[in-house]
Amino acid sequence: MSSAREFHLRTPLRDEDVDKLRIGDVVYLTGTVVTARDEAHELALEVLRGGGSLPVDLRGLALYHCGPVAVKDVSGSWKIIAAGPTTSMRMEPVEPEFIERTGVKMIIGKGGMGRGTAEAMKKHKAVYAVFTGGAGALAAEAIKRVPAVYWLDKLGMAEAMWVFEVEEFGPLTVAIDSTGANLYEQRLAEVAEKAKEVKRELGLPAEE
Amino acid sequence: MGITEQDLVGAFYEMIRTAATSIPEDVYRALKEGYERETNPLAKKQLEAILKDIDIACTRKVPICQDTGTPYFFFEMGENFPLRLGAVNAAREAVRKATKDGYLRPNAVDPFYKKNSGDNTGRYIPWIHVDIVEGSDLKVWFMTKGGGSEFPATLIMSEPILGFEKLKSGVIDTIVKYGPLPCPPVIVGVSVAAGADIALTLAKKSLLRPVGERNPDPNIAKLEVELLNAINKLGLGPHGFGGGLTALDVKIDYSYRHPATFAIGIVTSCWATRRASAVVHSDGSWEMTSKHIRYTGSGCMI
C-alpha cells in the first residue's frame, strides 16, 4: 500500500459502489448512517427474527458502531457533540446475521472484525470501514442532522439507535472489502512476525 | 477564610472539563511530532484526523472522544488539609455536574442490574485513590479513560528469577495481542510490585506522568526508553495501519516486593489521554499544575 485511493460515496450504497472498494482505500461518506452497539444489535435481531421490521430500513445504509454524546439544543432537537467509533469486535457474534437480515452495505467502527463478518460481507456485498478511534469531535462535525433516535428510553443514550445525516464523514479506511479480504488480519500477522525480531533484540528467549 | 466543599467542586469541575476537552500539551506535542515524521500514508491520515479532532474539541469545548471513560481521582492529601470527606463528596458532585453539562457521557452501569445511574456515579465510582502525605495542600490528579483502552490491562504474576524477562516480553505481547483496540498511539504504564492490586494501581498511576518525563532512577529510565523503542519497532502504528508511532511513551513505577512475588502490571492509555492535575491550598485557592493546549482565537495551540 504505497498510497491510499480516496472515494466520496453517498447512501444508499449500491453493490457497484461497494465492489470497487479494496482494503486500504479511504472513503468519505455522505447520507444516512444509523448507530447500533451491543444492545441495539440484540434488540434489532430480536425484532427481525420475530418477523417484525426495524424503525428505519437499513438497506443500502451504513451501520455505525457508536455511542454518541448528544445534547438537546434550545429548539429541542438533538445535537451530537462527540461520536467516534466503539470497538467493533464486540458485535462480531451477531454481525453476519445482522448484515443478512438488514441489507446494510457498510459497517463503520474501530479495531477490526472477524472471519464471520468477512464471510458475510463477501456473500452480501458489504464493506467494513474504520473511523479514527477517539476522534469523537471530528465525527460530530460531519453529522449535520439527527432525523430520529429510537429505543432511547429503553437503551439509554449510548446504546440507542441514532439516525444521522452526515456529510463527507471520514476518513474511513476500508478494513474488510467485499472480496472478504481483511486488512487487520494481514497487518497483525506482520506485527506478530516483527515482534519475534524485537524480542530477540531485547535478549528474550525465542518462543515455542 | 476557610475552604468549602463548593470551592472544591469548582476546582474539580474545571479539571474534568479541561481534561475532557483539551489534550495535555505533552501528548499533543508527541502526536504532532509523530505526524510530521510519519511517511506511511494511512498512518499519516490517522494522525491528521487525530490532530483535527483535538483542534475541534478544544475550539468548541466539546469532548475529544465520545467515550469519556471512567472517572478516576488520585489524591495526595496533606494531613492538615481541612476537608477530607468533603473532598470525596466534591469529587462526586463535580462528576455529576460535568456529566449534566455534556463533558462526560453517562457511563456508570450497575453490573448486576444493568442500570445506568445517568450521572457517572455509583458504587466506588468515581474511583478515588487517596494517599495521605505531609503538609496542608491537596494535590489532585483527574484521569478518565475509555473502555477500549482498558482491554489490554494485564497482570503477570512472575517468578522473581524471570521477573524482568517476563516484564519485557509481557509488554511486547500485550501490544501485539490487542493491536488496534486501545487506539494507538498509546502510553504504556508498567509496574513491578508486591501484589496484584498494587501492580495494576501503580501502572495506572504511571499514566499520569507527562510524556517525555523519565523516571528519576537512571536504570528505570533506561528500561522505559528500551521498551518504548522496542514497541515502536513493531510497526503497528496509529490505529494499527502501520507506521512508526505505536507508543508515545512508556512509564515505569514500582513498590517494594515480597521475596517470593514479582507482580507486573501493564496498562495502556489511548492517544486521547485525558488527565489534569491541580494543587488546592487550605485557604481554597488552587491552580492547575498540568498544561493543556488552549484556544487562542485562531485555533488551539500550545
Side-chain angles (χ1 to χ4, degrees):
Chain A
M1 248 163 294
S2 57
S3 71
R5 299 193 303 168
E6 198 172 294
F7 292 88
H8 297 260
L9 299 177
R10 188 175 282 277
T11 65
L13 296 166
R14 301 157 303 170
D15 284 356
E16 51 268 40
D17 294 324
V18 164
D19 261 342
K20 64 188 175 197
L21 298 175
R22 288 292 173 270
I23 52 172
D25 287 346
V26 173
V27 176
Y28 291 85
L29 189 68
T30 298
T32 308
V33 170
V34 179
T35 72
R37 296 177 27 135
D38 313 53
E39 293 192 30
H41 272 77
E42 281 185 80
L43 186 53
L45 285 174
E46 201 181 299
V47 169
L48 292 169
R49 285 171 195 150
S53 55
L54 298 184
V56 48
D57 182 359
L58 296 177
R59 260 174 300 177
L61 302 186
L63 179 78
Y64 188 21
H65 296 151
C66 167
V69 181
V71 291
K72 267 199 177 150
D73 66 16
V74 280
S75 69
S77 49
W78 286 104
K79 174 137 185 63
I80 304 299
I81 58 170
T86 193
T87 304
S88 299
M89 208 47 125
R90 293 200 313 272
M91 274 61 81
E92 176 66 20
V94 293
E95 208 69 282
E97 185 185 349
F98 194 93
I99 294 165
E100 184 171 351
R101 288 189 187 270
T102 61
V104 290
K105 285 285 153 202
M106 180 182 279
I107 290 175
I108 302 165
K110 79 172 177 88
M113 297 200 76
R115 293 262 164 93
T117 296
E119 277 306 308
M121 290 189 152
K122 196 171 158 183
K123 193 166 158 200
H124 301 288
K125 295 223 180 290
V127 294
Y128 171 70
V130 167
F131 184 77
T132 308
L138 179 66
E141 279 274 288
I143 299 168
K144 300 301 176 191
R145 235 161 47 80
V146 184
V149 54
Y150 301 104
W151 304 335
L152 184 63
D153 288 346
K154 196 176 162 77
L155 303 182
M157 186 192 285
E159 299 281 342
M161 182 174 261
W162 294 86
V163 183
F164 297 154
E165 289 300 326
V166 301
E167 259 176 52
E168 291 287 306
F169 184 70
L172 305 171
T173 305
V174 177
I176 299 175
D177 62 29
S178 63
T179 70
N182 190 332
L183 176 66
Y184 276 127
E185 226 172 64
Q186 298 175 12
R187 288 275 319 116
L188 295 179
E190 287 164 28
V191 169
E193 208 42 50
K194 193 80 187 164
K196 289 182 190 161
E197 197 181 304
V198 166
K199 283 184 175 179
R200 263 198 309 277
E201 284 172 20
L202 288 173
L204 299 170
E207 272 169 74
E208 274 106 39
Chain B
M1 283 285 280
I3 185 172
T4 67
E5 209 170 291
Q6 278 314 305
D7 295 334
L8 282 179
V9 173
F12 294 170
Y13 178 84
E14 195 48 37
M15 289 175 76
I16 297 170
R17 200 171 84 107
T18 302
T21 59
S22 54
I23 210 95
E25 235 182 70
D26 53 287
V27 178
Y28 184 76
R29 214 182 281 274
L31 288 165
K32 184 117 186 170
E33 281 167 15
Y35 169 73
E36 275 151 18
R37 267 199 316 269
E38 189 59 69
T39 54
N40 174 317
L42 281 181
K44 205 167 175 82
K45 196 102 194 155
Q46 293 306 311
L47 289 168
E48 185 189 304
I50 285 169
L51 291 170
K52 254 192 222 167
D53 178 71
I54 291 171
D55 194 63
I56 294 165
C58 165
T59 306
R60 303 207 163 172
K61 288 273 175 282
V62 295
I64 292 163
C65 174
Q66 79 295 334
D67 186 354
T68 61
T70 297
Y72 284 74
F73 285 87
F74 294 92
F75 287 169
E76 273 183 17
M77 187 175 280
E79 58 178 340
N80 295 318
F81 187 73
L83 293 174
R84 288 171 286 275
L85 179 60
V88 171
N89 290 338
R92 295 175 74 90
E93 184 52 32
V95 164
R96 278 190 208 107
K97 196 164 167 326
T99 308
K100 195 159 162 264
D101 293 347
Y103 296 113
L104 298 176
R105 185 181 71 184
N107 280 343
V109 179
D110 183 310
F112 288 97
Y113 299 98
K114 279 198 175 182
K115 190 182 151 32
N116 190 318
S117 68
D119 64 5
N120 276 306
T121 69
R123 185 174 163 81
Y124 289 121
I125 297 296
W127 181 257
I128 302 169
H129 179 97
V130 183
D131 291 316
I132 305 288
V133 297
E134 280 180 11
S136 57
D137 287 343
L138 172 66
K139 285 189 186 160
V140 186
W141 286 261
F142 172 77
M143 170 165 65
T144 186
K145 245 170 121 280
S149 73
E150 278 300 300
F151 272 113
T154 299
L155 170 72
I156 300 168
M157 298 302 290
S158 175
E159 306 85 334
I161 288 170
L162 297 177
F164 284 103
E165 193 176 303
K166 287 212 171 159
L167 184 150
K168 289 181 190 178
S169 60
V171 167
I172 301 298
D173 291 345
T174 300
I175 298 297
V176 172
K177 178 175 175 192
Y178 292 96
L181 291 185
C183 290
V186 292
I187 299 172
V188 186
V190 183
S191 83
V192 177
D197 49 346
I198 307 173
L200 284 167
T201 299
L202 292 180
K204 186 159 268 176
K205 270 183 90 172
S206 302
L207 300 174
L208 299 169
R209 279 167 47 206
V211 169
E213 184 191 287
R214 294 271 66 86
N215 191 298
D217 181 305
N219 284 315
I220 302 174
K222 200 173 142 215
L223 185 56
E224 288 177 342
V225 173
E226 188 185 17
L227 285 171
L228 176 63
N229 291 338
I231 293 168
N232 284 331
K233 273 188 198 161
L234 293 171
L236 180 67
H239 250 277
F241 291 132
L245 193 62
T246 302
L248 300 171
D249 210 347
V250 174
K251 304 294 186 189
I252 303 176
D253 200 356
Y254 67 99
S255 77
Y256 273 36
R257 63 176 179 83
H258 180 280
T261 63
F262 198 104
I264 301 161
I266 302 169
V267 172
T268 55
S269 168
C270 54
W271 68 259
T273 292
R274 286 154 289 169
R275 52 167 150 76
S277 60
V279 55
V280 187
H281 307 293
S282 54
D283 63 359
S285 64
W286 68 281
E287 56 275 349
M288 198 91 87
T289 46
S290 52
K291 293 195 173 94
H292 301 262
I293 61 162
R294 284 183 312 277
Y295 185 59
T296 60
S298 57
C300 276
M301 51 195 70
I302 291 174

